[in-house]
Amino acid sequence: MEMGLINGVTTLEMDNGLTKDGVVVVWHDEQILPTKCKDTKPAFPNDPAFPYVNKFIANLTLAQVKTLDCSLRQLDFPMQITVPGTKLSTLAEVFSFARCADPLRQVHFNIESKVNPQFNGTTRPPEDFVAAQHAQFVNSGYPTEAIIYQSFDWRTLIMMKKLDPRFARAALISSTTAGLSTTWLAGLELTDFPGATLPEKIANAAGSIGATILSPAAVNDSSPVPDPNQAGYIPLTTKPMIDQAHKLGLEVIPWTVDDLNIAQQLLDWKADGIITDFTTNVRLLVEGTGRTVHPQFDATIVNKCLQEHIQLVSQ
């Protein structure tokens, strides 16, 4: 998040888990993975749940989660800068840091519910996520238009629209979840929707639930190659999908685009945004096309706020 602000991103994208005691934490996975975190000590003496690594977030309390050191460098990101002892943050703590680093409230947020409708018990149910995250959104100190609510589980999008339609809602989808559409897409069957191709059907389905944004994977999971300049490349986000979504009034923001050839293709097709791990590179690409980019945040202020807000476990 710190480097994203310094690099001048428009929006901070993050995933949320929900703990056993109902606290929203910023974490990508349903479980505490041993490749990302390590145990330090139990939250209290003789805790029968200890060790916590490999446990599901839904089965751990905030106190238990806060004992973890989640600073392990990821093999997929060998240049990752880590801070030993880093604790997981709650969504409330992330908003507090953002308010410090962004006093003018310029940055936006794209916040995902990590709900799994396939396997009961691995995550909290959708209604719990919607209620808990909504409470954090309204107390964030940011205007409603600065926060996008997103999920692969389209039930949560329908619930959030009913609860508070002021928040934009992004329908996440991959070719895998599209193949299990009735499970992930609130009971919808994609074959019931018009469209000459699967991507166009996806756009129409997202429009039918009142989503304001369609956020598809850039690449189809079945693509044998990762780059559009290679023979056989199969995108999930296509120009007909983007065109159809725009006809329905939806923006299209694909993920996770870490290949500049894909990013260029999406820009040419008029995608409304790009989710990426490599903000500096994509920013340079966007600037090169003559498009307006977000101003960069003051690194001195951002780093000062980070030092005030970072939490470390004792080693």
Side-chain angles (χ1 to χ4, degrees):
M1 176 180 287
E2 173 205 15
M3 293 309 301
L5 291 172
I6 291 171
N7 288 334
V9 298
T10 303
T11 304
L12 294 168
E13 193 274 346
M14 65 197 73
D15 299 351
N16 284 178
L18 191 60
T19 65
K20 185 177 182 179
D21 48 346
V23 180
V24 183
V25 293
V26 178
W27 187 240
H28 177 270
D29 307 297
E30 296 169 15
Q31 292 172 276
I32 302 296
L33 298 178
T35 55
K36 297 183 178 181
C37 301
K38 60 183 179 181
D39 282 296
T40 58
K41 59 185 178 181
F44 56 88
N46 303 314
D47 182 357
F50 187 81
Y52 309 130
V53 170
N54 287 318
K55 301 288 196 312
F56 289 101
I57 290 283
N59 297 327
L60 296 173
T61 65
L62 179 64
Q64 292 168 327
V65 166
K66 284 290 189 180
T67 68
L68 294 159
D69 174 354
C70 294
S71 63
L72 303 184
R73 182 173 289 112
Q74 301 304 288
L75 293 178
D76 290 343
F77 299 95
M79 299 299 290
Q80 177 187 358
I81 302 298
T82 63
V83 179
T86 300
K87 294 183 181 182
L88 267 67
S89 295
T90 66
L91 182 57
E93 290 165 345
V94 167
F95 279 135
S96 178
F97 164 74
R99 290 193 300 270
C100 176
D102 174 30
L104 298 180
R105 307 294 188 268
Q106 294 177 298
V107 76
H108 287 204
F109 300 85
N110 193 5
I111 300 175
E112 179 182 342
S113 278
K114 213 68 178 183
V115 181
N116 190 330
Q118 277 189 275
F119 304 106
N120 291 332
T122 60
T123 62
R124 296 283 296 270
E127 56 269 22
D128 292 355
F129 267 90
V130 171
Q133 288 178 288
H134 178 262
Q136 292 300 319
F137 294 172
V138 297
N139 290 308
S140 67
Y142 278 82
T144 54
E145 60 269 21
I147 298 174
I148 299 168
Y149 178 74
Q150 65 174 354
S151 185
F152 283 99
D153 185 338
W154 288 13
R155 294 176 300 173
T156 69
L157 304 176
I158 295 169
M159 291 178 188
M160 183 61 80
K161 181 185 180 184
K162 182 176 181 181
L163 176 63
D164 195 338
R166 295 176 300 168
F167 291 102
R169 298 165 302 281
L172 286 164
I173 193 166
S174 67
S175 55
T176 298
T177 59
L180 297 166
S181 58
T182 55
T183 301
W184 286 92
L185 310 187
L188 300 179
E189 178 58 71
L190 288 175
T191 56
D192 293 338
F193 289 88
T197 63
L198 174 65
E200 291 166 277
K201 292 177 182 293
I202 289 172
N204 286 316
S208 77
I209 63 164
T212 50
I213 298 166
L214 174 58
S215 195
V219 185
N220 192 303
D221 292 329
S222 65
S223 181
V225 294
D227 188 280
N229 289 341
Q230 294 176 286
Y233 174 74
I234 305 173
L236 182 63
T237 304
T238 63
K239 187 177 187 303
M241 170 196 272
I242 294 172
D243 291 344
Q244 181 58 26
H246 286 168
K247 288 178 184 177
L248 297 172
L250 278 71
E251 295 184 349
V252 180
I253 305 177
W255 57 272
T256 298
V257 184
D258 293 343
D259 178 313
L260 290 184
N261 287 329
I262 297 175
Q264 183 64 66
Q265 186 179 70
L266 293 170
L267 291 172
D268 292 342
W269 289 346
K270 309 302 182 187
D272 300 283
I274 292 174
I275 297 173
T276 180
D277 294 315
F278 297 99
T279 55
T280 302
N281 305 65
V282 173
R283 179 187 176 91
L284 289 171
L285 177 68
V286 172
E287 283 183 311
T289 67
R291 292 174 172 83
T292 302
V293 294
H294 196 281
Q296 293 170 293
F297 291 85
D298 187 305
T300 301
I301 295 175
V302 173
N303 285 318
K304 179 177 181 293
C305 292
L306 179 66
Q307 295 307 312
E308 293 175 0
H309 285 80
I310 195 168
Q311 299 176 41
L312 305 177
V313 295
S314 56
Q315 300 296 309

